[in-house]
Amino acid sequence: KFVSSGSNRIYKTIDKIPLDLQHAFVAIEDQRFYEHNGIDLKGIASAAFSAVTGQGMRGASTLTQQLIKNNVFPNFVNEETMYDKVERKLQEQYIALQIEKQMTKDEILEAYMNTINLGQNCLGVQSAAKRYFGKDVSNLNLVEAAMIAGMFQAPGEYDPYVNPEKTNVRKNEVIDLML
């Protein structure tokens, strides 16, 4: 069970979360979500190639791995050594494979969207919909959905109250990827 008691979360089932919001998260965070088994080998290869060729570091975690990292390894930011990071990443990948055998893609996406940090003390998409738009998540439109999905990577940086210009650029990136 991923949701811990006492969290600032309002759980919503996948059927109450708009398809636009589901598609927005898949587009910006894990475009091959429906094709892989919890580990995106193409994403890992692409990230490795980018690092080796000096194009910068880029993430290769799937939505399933992000779900695990945020709920099973919440203290990952305190990792001291490269060994710690590699060990956690391998554990994360092993657990992702196991989760993908036990849960459907919709169940994984539902758990993910209900447990992620979206800034302003919003944990999950329902809390974010209420905080940023004053409405139930089921009533979000495409633009609102894209904004919320775009915030996950850096909630402080893409906070619409702090950086509205950056938030708008990021929202447009999400919409472009959805297209």
Side-chain angles (χ1 to χ4, degrees):
K1 187 169 184 180
F2 291 113
V3 179
S4 59
S5 63
S7 298
N8 179 25
R9 304 178 205 274
I10 303 167
Y11 202 92
K12 288 289 184 168
T13 57
I14 197 78
D15 61 314
K16 302 291 186 220
I17 299 171
L19 282 175
D20 282 339
L21 185 57
Q22 295 175 43
H23 294 163
F25 273 106
V26 170
I28 195 68
E29 293 296 329
D30 186 359
Q31 294 177 8
R32 288 181 287 277
F33 175 67
Y34 292 104
E35 300 163 19
H36 61 65
N37 63 351
I39 299 172
D40 182 5
L41 296 177
K42 288 181 185 177
I44 292 169
S46 176
F49 180 78
S50 292
V52 169
T53 59
Q55 298 174 21
M57 295 299 289
R58 149 169 46 154
S61 291
T62 64
L63 289 179
T64 310
Q65 288 174 272
Q66 291 177 37
L67 175 66
I68 294 161
K69 180 170 53 180
N70 292 329
N71 293 282
V72 178
F73 300 112
N75 296 320
F76 72 94
V77 293
N78 298 327
E79 292 171 339
E80 300 287 329
T81 67
M82 181 59 90
Y83 175 81
D84 292 336
K85 292 176 185 175
V86 170
E87 181 182 38
R88 190 235 341 129
K89 201 65 160 164
L90 291 172
Q91 291 170 335
E92 192 180 285
Q93 290 175 345
Y94 174 78
I95 295 169
L97 292 171
Q98 301 312 307
I99 285 175
E100 292 266 350
K101 291 176 185 173
Q102 297 176 26
M103 295 172 72
T104 67
K105 291 292 188 175
D106 279 350
E107 290 170 332
I108 292 166
L109 190 56
E110 177 181 304
Y112 172 84
M113 289 191 295
N114 277 289
T115 60
I116 56 175
N117 179 0
L118 292 164
Q120 298 273 335
N121 200 28
C122 297
L123 301 175
V125 294
Q126 175 62 24
S127 294
K130 288 284 188 189
R131 171 70 177 108
Y132 298 113
F133 301 108
K135 58 170 78 170
D136 190 88
V137 70
S138 63
N139 296 319
L140 292 177
N141 64 37
L142 171 65
V143 172
E144 294 162 341
M147 191 206 88
I148 287 176
M151 292 178 66
F152 173 69
Q153 185 182 52
E157 185 177 340
Y158 297 120
D159 183 325
Y161 298 113
V162 177
N163 295 311
E165 298 84 19
K166 278 188 173 183
T167 303
N168 192 48
V169 168
R170 180 73 170 166
K171 171 201 55 138
N172 290 336
E173 289 173 5
V174 173
I175 291 171
D176 287 346
L177 287 170
M178 290 175 74
L179 184 63

